[in-house]
Amino acid sequence: MATVTLKGNNIETSGQLPKVGSAAPDFKLTSTDLSTKRLSDFKGSKVVLNIFPSVDTGTCAQSVREFNTKASEMENTKVLCISHDLPFAQARFCGAEGLENVISLSDYKDGSFGKSYGLDFVTGPLEALHSRCVVVLDENGTVKYTEQVSETTNEPNYKAALEAL
């Protein structure tokens, strides 16, 4: 388990993020068009996994906006914004914001992504949601960078994540 905070209060996650240099765990997530996406669908591209509790919170929404802006500047890179939000809510948010450079994916069906990446909250008011994390993968799905944001209300270190690409 890892411990992070929410407004200064300790909350625990289900495990540890994958180690840098390891193969990223495969996943099965739902896209806004309700199709299933797997890690293998992105093989050959660099991948930024922007993971957060809910797009309906200010910090989470800002991370999607920020990565959307940065993604338009990156070659051969896909930014996957992953939460437990329903695909309909993700589509509504990105549509209303005009965000076209990120791919929204939902872990709402079985939560297996959060479990296999060790990032689900297991205590506190956000229990069962994802903690705020960034995982960067190379074209072969090897983990190049990870960050589990220590204070959930803070934004991730965008610069460090993008430099890992």
Side-chain angles (χ1 to χ4, degrees):
M1 282 190 197
T3 301
V4 297
T5 59
L6 175 63
K7 298 181 181 178
N9 297 305
N10 286 349
I11 49 178
E12 295 177 332
T13 65
S14 59
Q16 301 289 326
L17 292 175
K19 300 271 186 230
V20 171
S22 69
D26 195 14
F27 56 73
K28 189 167 95 173
L29 296 166
T30 305
S31 181
T32 56
D33 66 3
L34 302 181
S35 66
T36 298
K37 298 293 182 191
R38 296 184 162 281
L39 179 58
S40 58
D41 293 329
F42 304 99
K43 189 171 174 96
S45 295
K46 297 174 189 173
V47 177
V48 176
L49 305 176
N50 176 36
I51 308 154
F52 48 87
S54 175
V55 75
D56 287 325
T57 67
T59 305
C60 300
Q62 185 55 34
S63 74
V64 176
R65 289 183 198 106
E66 186 69 22
F67 276 119
N68 180 73
T69 300
K70 301 296 184 191
S72 66
E73 302 167 0
M74 299 181 287
E75 287 188 38
N76 193 35
T77 302
K78 307 285 187 206
V79 176
L80 311 183
C81 294
I82 303 169
S83 68
H84 275 287
D85 291 302
L86 291 175
F88 314 111
Q90 293 173 332
R92 180 193 72 241
F93 173 78
C94 287
E97 296 275 334
L99 307 178
E100 299 177 350
N101 299 317
V102 294
I103 299 166
S104 295
L105 298 173
S106 177
D107 193 20
Y108 84 99
K109 285 187 178 175
D110 65 6
S112 62
F113 172 82
K115 290 175 183 68
S116 65
Y117 278 72
L119 52 81
D120 282 340
F121 289 123
V122 294
T123 61
L126 300 179
E127 186 175 348
L129 295 179
H130 296 326
S131 59
R132 186 176 318 288
C133 301
V134 176
V135 179
V136 176
L137 312 175
D138 70 10
E139 297 90 341
N140 297 310
T142 301
V143 177
K144 304 307 277 182
Y145 171 87
T146 66
E147 176 191 13
Q148 184 166 50
V149 179
S150 60
E151 168 53 53
T152 303
T153 60
N154 292 342
E155 293 181 52
N157 185 339
Y158 303 109
K159 182 178 179 190
L162 297 173
E163 286 176 355
L165 291 168

